[in-house]
Amino acid sequence: MDNLRFSKKILNEFQVSSFLKKDIFPQVLFESRDGHLYLGLGSIQISPQFLEGIPDGFSVFVQRDFYDEDSHVICPQLLLDSYQGKTTLWVQEGFDFENLPNLPEPQKQFQIKKVKLHPTKKEWDCIFKKVQEKLNENIFQKVVLAREVLLALDIQPDTLKLFSEIQKTNHYNFYFATSPEDIFLGSSPERLLNIRQGILQTEAVAGTRIREKEFELLTSQKDLLEHGLVVRDILEKIKPFTQKVKFDERPSLVQTKNLSHLKTNIYAELKTSDFFGLLGSLHPTSAVCGMPRGEVKNFLKANETFQRTLYAGTLGILGKDHAEMAVTLRCCHIQKNSLRLYSGAGIVAQSDHQSEWNELNDKITPYLKILNLQAPL
């Protein structure tokens, strides 16, 4: 039987760091674009029918790796829900949060001992050539090739400091720690879905330029083609779950600190309550995987030289009448004395291998600047 009895109180003030410094795991933080913050500590075992038992207004966290066929639900023992100056604290009955010990303070500033690329530029060019052959034979329509930059460090970095430096107010900020030595964090520009009052909002984000050259996106045939493929793919994926679908006639530009992307907003009425069916149909979108999805996923699994895990996965929240999920991009994975940075680029028939490699570097530039590291070409 699910033990989903919670006490509830309103907080006048709080510090996120004071919660994330507690020695209890998992720790999950999810902040939406409008500043709605959810923070959870600990985990409660729940049944498949958990939505029937959670209180009104309460949220659980949902996480899904890139290759996963199943979603993982985390029902926290403590949930902090803060939005527009109102903060609610939910605590599982019997959970003694106040007496939890704090984690040890971080050590001195870390030093980078070694940098490795997975794949190397030479290996990536070989994979790119394989992709182009399949694109030219019309086996694939699009493939998103990714890369990992692995930094070997002398000590584990201060994860809360790093997180504070990469957070952006107009992005989805996320922090997912399964132990003191295993933390995944990032700040993503891409929404997977938002559900409120039976209305689904999703979006296609594909096509990238540095901010100084963003004007090229609206006339680039290569980028408009790539973007159009993603829009059509999402419309097809949501069709069994929706009705009265609307979307932008023309893509707009969405800006991050260093980059700009083409974006198309999509809206629809839901005709089913099958959240996990919808999630599985949407993720991974062709913006982070490719088309056709099944064949491209198999190709990536066989040819990419690193494990994506939660990179290009999804993370978010779910309640009785609401849900919001982001695509986990612009992220890094800390595992004790290693730090992994990820980036990806959408490949279509007109793509140029050097331009796409440069895009991979552009997408991790914010982390490289924080780490005082030059682009690892």
Side-chain angles (χ1 to χ4, degrees):
M1 187 72 177
D2 296 343
N3 183 15
L4 301 181
R5 302 168 77 91
F6 293 87
S7 63
K8 175 183 174 184
K9 66 178 179 179
I10 305 300
L11 298 184
N12 294 321
E13 58 183 359
F14 69 95
Q15 287 187 324
V16 166
S17 61
S18 67
F19 288 87
L20 295 179
K21 287 179 178 178
K22 293 295 185 181
D23 189 6
I24 182 171
F25 296 89
Q27 300 178 344
V28 193
L29 181 149
F30 179 80
E31 184 179 18
S32 65
R33 289 169 175 165
D34 62 2
H36 197 150
L37 175 74
Y38 304 86
L39 191 159
L41 300 181
S43 179
I44 305 169
Q45 274 199 321
I46 52 175
S47 69
Q49 294 77 36
F50 67 91
L51 278 177
E52 300 170 8
I54 64 173
D56 293 339
F58 188 81
S59 302
V60 300
F61 296 92
V62 178
Q63 174 262 322
R64 187 179 175 116
D65 286 3
F66 178 79
Y67 285 111
D68 270 2
E69 298 299 326
D70 297 314
S71 302
H72 305 281
V73 178
I74 300 169
C75 181
Q77 293 171 275
L78 177 149
L79 175 70
L80 187 78
D81 182 333
S82 183
Y83 184 56
Q84 295 185 340
K86 180 182 178 182
T87 302
T88 305
L89 180 68
W90 304 78
V91 180
Q92 180 191 18
E93 289 188 4
F95 178 61
D96 188 6
F97 167 72
E98 298 295 336
N99 290 316
L100 286 175
N102 285 330
L103 294 165
E105 288 296 319
Q107 301 182 53
K108 62 181 176 67
Q109 176 65 29
F110 65 86
Q111 299 293 321
I112 298 171
K113 298 168 64 177
K114 188 181 293 186
V115 179
K116 290 185 178 181
L117 305 187
H118 300 139
T120 63
K121 176 63 164 59
K122 184 178 180 180
E123 290 170 334
W124 195 84
D125 285 344
C126 291
I127 302 170
F128 184 95
K129 186 177 179 180
K130 290 182 183 179
V131 169
Q132 281 202 316
E133 290 172 355
K134 292 185 179 293
L135 289 167
N136 292 333
E137 294 170 6
N138 293 318
I139 297 171
F140 296 158
Q141 294 174 277
K142 177 188 173 181
V143 178
V144 180
L145 285 182
R147 183 191 65 177
E148 171 191 89
V149 178
L150 173 60
L151 308 179
L153 312 175
D154 60 341
I155 60 171
Q156 182 169 326
D158 184 340
T159 55
L160 294 183
K161 180 182 178 183
L162 179 60
F163 184 55
S164 69
E165 290 177 337
I166 62 95
Q167 281 179 289
K168 297 180 177 64
T169 55
N170 63 340
H171 279 195
Y172 287 100
N173 300 308
F174 52 89
Y175 182 99
F176 180 38
T178 57
S179 79
E181 298 179 343
D182 195 326
I183 304 101
F184 191 94
L185 58 88
S187 185
S188 173
E190 189 167 335
R191 167 186 287 165
L192 182 67
L193 62 83
N194 177 286
I195 298 172
R196 293 288 188 282
Q197 298 179 332
I199 302 298
L200 167 69
Q201 297 180 49
T202 183
E203 62 194 28
V205 178
T208 303
R209 285 290 189 284
I210 59 173
R211 288 283 297 273
E212 292 79 5
K213 295 184 178 181
E214 65 179 20
F215 61 91
E216 296 178 358
L217 283 171
L218 296 173
T219 56
S220 165
Q221 291 304 307
K222 178 264 179 188
D223 291 285
L224 290 170
L225 168 64
E226 178 190 347
H227 186 79
L229 289 172
V230 175
V231 173
R232 291 193 291 276
D233 186 52
I234 291 174
L235 293 174
E236 187 66 28
K237 294 291 194 302
I238 67 172
K239 187 182 293 184
F241 305 90
T242 60
Q243 58 191 3
K244 297 183 180 179
V245 178
K246 298 180 181 179
F247 58 94
D248 300 338
E249 292 185 7
R250 295 182 180 84
S252 58
L253 292 175
V254 57
Q255 298 170 329
T256 69
K257 185 175 181 180
N258 301 287
L259 303 173
S260 294
H261 309 277
L262 290 173
K263 182 176 99 169
T264 295
N265 296 299
I266 300 169
Y267 308 89
E269 290 183 11
L270 289 173
K271 61 182 184 182
T272 173
S273 59
D274 183 9
F275 169 80
F276 289 103
L278 172 64
L279 180 62
S281 184
L282 271 174
H283 180 263
T285 69
S286 52
V288 296
C289 180
M291 299 173 62
R293 182 167 68 186
E295 289 85 344
V296 170
K297 278 180 73 175
N298 290 336
F299 175 87
L300 294 175
K301 197 167 187 177
N303 287 275
E304 286 190 333
T305 59
F306 69 100
Q307 294 296 317
R308 289 197 180 194
T309 62
L310 190 48
Y311 166 69
T314 184
L315 179 69
I317 55 95
L318 171 66
K320 284 183 175 177
D321 59 358
H322 63 277
E324 189 154 14
M325 304 290 296
V327 183
T328 44
L329 303 171
R330 309 297 189 274
C331 51
C332 73
H333 191 180
I334 297 160
Q335 291 178 298
K336 201 172 181 180
N337 293 7
S338 68
L339 191 154
R340 289 173 163 83
L341 304 173
Y342 305 95
S343 56
I347 313 301
V348 292
Q350 298 92 328
S351 294
D352 170 74
H353 71 101
Q354 187 59 50
S355 296
E356 302 300 339
W357 182 261
N358 293 341
E359 182 177 319
L360 296 177
N361 284 325
D362 292 338
K363 286 178 176 176
I364 60 170
T365 292
Y367 284 98
L368 299 179
K369 288 182 176 178
I370 290 170
L371 300 168
N372 294 317
L373 185 69
Q374 298 299 314
L377 295 174

